[in-house]
Amino acid sequence: MLDAMRNQASSWVVRGLLVLLILSFAIWGIGDVFFGPRGGQTIAEVGDLEVTGTEVNREFDDQINRFRQQFNTPLDRGQAVAFGLLNQAMQAKIAQRLVDMHGLDLGLGVADSSVRAAITENPVFRGSAGFDRDRLDVVLRSQGMTEDAFIEEVRDDLRRAMLIDAVSGLVVIPQEEASRIYAYRNEERRGTALHLLSAAIVIADPDDSVLESWLDGHKNEFKAPEYRSGVAVVIEPESLVGEIDVTPDELQSAYDARIASFTTPEKRKVGQLLAHDEAVIGKAREQIENGATMAEIAEALAGEGVSYSSIGPLARHDLPASLGDPVFALPDTESISDPVQSAFGWHLFRLIEVEPEKVRPLDEVRQQLHDDLALEHARAQLPDLANSLDDEVAAGSDLETAAGQLNFPVVKLDMVDRNGEHADGSPLDNDTISGDVLGRFFSGARGETSLLEQTDDGYLMYRVDSIDPPRDRTLDEIHDKVLAAWKAGQQQKRAMEDAALIVERLHAGATLEAIAAEKGDAATLVDIEPVKRNADPAAAGINAEVLATLFELEQGTASTKPIDVGDGAVIVREDEVIPAAEPESLDPLKEELRMQEQNDLLVQYEQALRHRYPVQINEAALRALATALSPTQ
């Protein structure tokens, strides 16, 4: 039941509640209050509450950042929409509103003193003397947020945290439970597998009557697909590039216009001292002026929150303007910046090294520019040329004649299927005929020339001359294939039968080793090195069923039935049970199990809230937001 509920929860529980509510609140004392007031078009309604486009957009950006950090890969907003992160962001905000509705229905209040403590104890707003009101004002002004709105956001986060903690905060994992699960997961087993090779079994060729009868039961496996013949004219800009001249003046102008793309900007590597307090960073600067190194200062002032790190090499645009300007203003490696404040604290910078700006000369990029410009010209000319082809066909010319007059290549499609294969199995040898082109060709009517159709990067016209519908192949056509398939089936059947007899012999006292020696090249004996239950079977040289069987057996016993592995049969013997080593600590496992049980409770909580409070999604508004975030899609 819980598995089914987890699937229906659309990942919002873990991502929407545990991450968005518990984790963010535990770290900052507040949730997403730094990102401005709610607003924008309503994306969803949860009971009496709304989820706005502004909120979803903020959460969407957070989802993208988490994706980039987790997978260490760039991801633009269009790709994120395609990956479903926008819908995930919406579900996370709906999760918040469900909890908010429950809190309101319960009349759950949050004392002003609790709100005050959450704000004043937030490290973002604390200076050396404690809570710093000026820091709070700076954040509120930068986000265009009123103090009242901020306080209500904090109150909402506290109320949600109270509910989440009430549902899942009391989960405790007993030591005995963790110990048993650890032992189960980390137990290892070693074994031996006898693999009877089906290919080594000799099967005599049957009469054709046997193959005919077998083919009758397997017609769909050998059915001939629909084949079509005809012609296609695919007009792509790449096919025109060779006919286009690009003048030296055009190359120079394009180079001048695109000089930024051929320029690697100056990069700098700097040492940084970071502190949360201006007075402390001022003390650090005095020590630098007295000859101390940054590393020495960081060590001496570590107790006052000073840390040292090196940054870069980075270009100016890689840094926030508040940091980039002072870093790139440093004249030499002897210079120290003035104290600089940012959202991260107070900084001091010292220049370590400079990578000068580099500009690739025209001669180095000439061919690249030429190809780019030729392709641009080809794309610009393509619609007129394609329309010329359309006009010729409309005037009465057949497709081949019209294409020849315009010097367009004509591709003859002779008995090809939807996958681009001929009747003999050979592939269609033409790069211009893509799966999209074949799909359109197979949607056309026989004997008619298509209208001019636009493709991803060009235009297409085609004519279907003949259609051979799908049909059952005769034995004469595919005799060798049917014979091979029939023999493979018989070999596998025999392998399983032989293995069943071997199982009986093993239980009568025979050994796998003796039987393997008896079988010779018809069998192999495989040592299964110590593996755990959750091991990758392929890495261990076995399949999943063999691994599962190994952990079902008593030590020293063999499987009671053979395992079908496709290319033969396997019999497994369990040789040794290796108990789990004593863990240094069960705390990490207990925390994992605690999170799993919390998740199960929150899944059930989510299901209950969704039954209690109706969720209405404004699909049109969501589509509009998706389009705005990914306009090219």
Side-chain angles (χ1 to χ4, degrees):
M1 176 65 73
L2 283 176
D3 287 340
M5 293 170 68
R6 288 190 191 98
N7 292 335
Q8 295 172 10
S10 304
S11 298
W12 77 265
V13 174
V14 177
R15 298 179 185 274
L17 289 178
L18 290 179
V19 174
L20 187 60
L21 299 179
I22 296 175
L23 184 59
S24 65
F25 192 88
I27 294 174
W28 300 110
I30 54 176
D32 57 358
V33 298
F34 296 127
F35 299 99
R38 299 171 189 166
Q41 187 175 10
T42 298
I43 297 294
E45 294 180 359
V46 182
D48 299 330
L49 301 178
E50 294 181 347
V51 174
T52 67
T54 302
E55 294 175 285
V56 173
N57 195 9
R58 288 200 311 256
E59 175 61 21
F60 177 62
D61 285 338
D62 289 345
Q63 297 277 6
I64 293 175
N65 289 334
R66 283 196 287 270
F67 182 97
R68 290 169 177 165
Q69 293 169 6
Q70 181 177 357
F71 297 103
N72 193 29
T73 185
L75 180 74
D76 62 37
R77 297 180 124 220
Q79 292 171 322
V81 170
F83 288 162
L85 295 191
L86 179 61
N87 185 67
Q88 187 168 291
M90 177 187 68
Q91 292 297 337
K93 302 312 291 184
I94 287 174
Q96 276 192 330
R97 293 295 171 268
L98 285 165
V99 179
D100 289 342
M101 278 299 304
H102 193 206
L104 293 174
D105 271 2
L106 293 175
L108 187 62
V110 179
D112 291 343
S113 59
S114 298
V115 176
R116 185 182 303 109
I119 296 172
T120 58
E121 294 174 10
N122 191 316
V124 174
F125 305 135
R126 293 184 69 83
S128 59
F131 174 68
D132 187 341
R133 175 59 192 241
D134 290 339
R135 294 191 179 200
L136 173 60
D137 290 340
V138 168
V139 170
L140 294 180
R141 285 196 302 271
S142 68
Q143 300 301 326
M145 194 175 196
T146 67
E147 182 177 330
D148 288 343
F150 171 78
I151 290 172
E152 287 311 305
E153 287 277 10
V154 174
R155 195 183 305 276
D156 287 345
D157 275 352
L158 287 170
R159 184 186 296 109
R160 294 185 199 113
M162 291 166 62
L163 282 167
I164 296 302
D165 188 60
V167 171
S168 62
L170 298 179
V171 174
V172 176
I173 304 299
Q175 185 79 4
E176 179 65 20
E177 177 185 345
S179 179
R180 287 177 178 271
I181 291 176
Y182 178 87
Y184 179 83
R185 288 184 179 180
N186 291 281
E187 175 192 300
E188 292 183 305
R189 296 200 173 193
R190 186 175 58 80
T192 304
L194 178 68
H195 185 186
L196 298 183
L197 305 173
S198 59
I201 298 174
V202 177
I203 302 291
D205 290 355
D207 293 336
D208 283 355
S209 60
V210 174
L211 295 180
E212 287 278 10
S213 176
W214 185 87
L215 180 58
D216 285 343
H218 298 80
K219 287 183 178 180
N220 288 337
E221 300 172 29
F222 297 93
K223 185 182 288 290
E226 176 182 321
Y227 288 102
R228 291 191 171 203
S229 297
V231 294
V233 177
V234 181
I235 312 170
E236 295 178 332
E238 290 80 5
S239 63
L240 306 177
V241 166
E243 304 173 15
I244 293 176
D245 292 326
V246 179
T247 67
D249 288 343
E250 285 182 291
L251 284 172
Q252 184 65 55
S253 296
Y255 176 77
D256 294 339
R258 305 179 191 185
I259 190 68
S261 64
F262 303 124
T263 301
T264 301
E266 175 187 325
K267 293 184 179 181
R268 293 192 166 198
K269 182 177 182 179
V270 295
Q272 171 191 250
L273 286 178
L274 177 64
H276 294 297
D277 187 80
E278 183 178 11
V280 174
I281 208 70
K283 185 189 300 185
R285 197 179 199 290
E286 291 177 3
Q287 294 187 17
I288 291 177
E289 292 172 348
N290 291 331
T293 67
M294 284 187 161
E296 291 170 344
I297 294 169
E299 184 176 357
L301 298 180
E304 298 184 54
V306 177
S307 62
Y308 171 75
S309 61
S310 63
I311 303 174
L314 295 173
R316 182 189 291 266
H317 66 260
D318 293 326
L319 293 165
S322 60
L323 302 182
D325 291 344
V327 165
F328 278 78
L330 293 170
D332 52 52
T333 56
E334 300 299 320
S335 303
I336 303 294
S337 73
D338 291 329
V340 180
Q341 186 180 22
S342 76
F344 304 102
W346 287 88
H347 309 254
L348 280 180
F349 298 108
R350 166 171 268 168
L351 185 61
I352 296 176
E353 63 181 32
V354 177
E355 294 182 7
E357 177 183 271
K358 298 177 183 177
V359 181
R360 299 172 67 188
L362 175 58
D363 286 344
E364 185 179 326
V365 298
R366 186 181 302 277
Q367 188 60 49
Q368 176 187 340
L369 268 179
H370 178 279
D371 294 345
D372 289 347
L373 290 174
L375 193 59
E376 289 175 10
H377 291 336
R379 287 197 175 103
Q381 297 174 19
L382 203 61
D384 290 340
L385 292 171
N387 286 328
S388 298
L389 175 67
D390 196 26
D391 291 342
E392 288 291 332
V393 171
S397 297
D398 62 40
L399 185 55
E400 293 92 330
T401 301
Q405 291 173 347
L406 295 167
N407 202 29
F408 290 149
V410 178
V411 180
K412 184 170 179 59
L413 302 171
D414 185 21
M415 288 289 288
V416 296
D417 63 16
R418 289 178 181 271
N419 297 319
E421 290 188 355
H422 296 289
D424 62 1
S426 61
L428 178 64
D429 188 19
N430 194 296
D431 293 338
T432 64
I433 306 300
S434 64
D436 176 51
V437 170
L438 281 172
R440 299 181 191 215
F441 182 68
F442 270 78
S443 67
R446 182 172 54 189
E448 297 180 5
T449 300
S450 73
L451 300 174
L452 182 67
E453 299 181 9
Q454 192 164 1
T455 63
D456 289 341
D457 199 30
Y459 295 87
L460 165 69
M461 290 190 79
Y462 59 86
R463 186 186 68 244
V464 179
D465 293 331
S466 66
I467 300 176
D468 284 27
R471 62 178 179 82
D472 294 334
R473 287 190 173 104
T474 65
L475 180 60
D476 288 342
E477 292 179 89
I478 49 173
H479 185 279
D480 290 346
K481 290 183 178 180
V482 172
L483 176 60
W486 179 87
K487 276 191 171 184
Q490 294 300 307
Q491 287 172 319
Q492 187 63 22
K493 179 182 177 182
R494 276 278 306 277
M496 291 295 291
E497 291 171 348
D498 291 350
L501 295 175
I502 291 172
V503 167
E504 294 179 4
R505 292 177 58 188
L506 291 173
H507 289 284
T511 66
L512 288 178
E513 288 78 7
I515 294 173
E518 174 187 312
K519 291 289 183 180
D521 293 339
T524 60
L525 204 60
V526 179
D527 290 330
I528 304 174
E529 297 301 323
V531 292
K532 296 179 181 179
R533 283 181 170 84
N534 63 349
D536 177 10
I542 54 180
N543 73 5
E545 189 175 355
V546 171
L547 179 63
T549 301
L550 182 64
F551 279 87
E552 293 170 358
L553 297 172
E554 298 290 337
Q555 185 166 330
T557 64
S559 49
T560 58
K561 60 180 181 179
I563 300 169
D564 189 331
V565 292
D567 63 346
V570 166
I571 303 164
V572 183
R573 184 184 65 206
E574 200 288 309
D575 292 332
E576 183 182 7
V577 176
I578 306 172
E582 192 68 24
E584 292 184 6
S585 171
L586 288 173
D587 289 345
L589 176 59
K590 290 171 71 174
E591 179 62 17
E592 175 193 337
L593 297 173
R594 187 182 69 82
M595 292 293 290
Q596 289 176 356
E597 291 196 20
Q598 281 186 321
N599 184 43
D600 288 343
L601 289 170
L602 290 174
V603 167
Q604 297 173 69
Y605 182 44
E606 181 261 356
Q607 292 293 309
L609 293 181
R610 285 186 178 258
H611 283 298
R612 180 177 298 186
Y613 306 114
V615 176
Q616 300 292 332
I617 297 174
N618 185 342
E619 297 290 352
L622 183 61
R623 285 194 298 270
L625 180 59
T627 300
L629 295 173
S630 181
T632 60
Q633 293 198 357

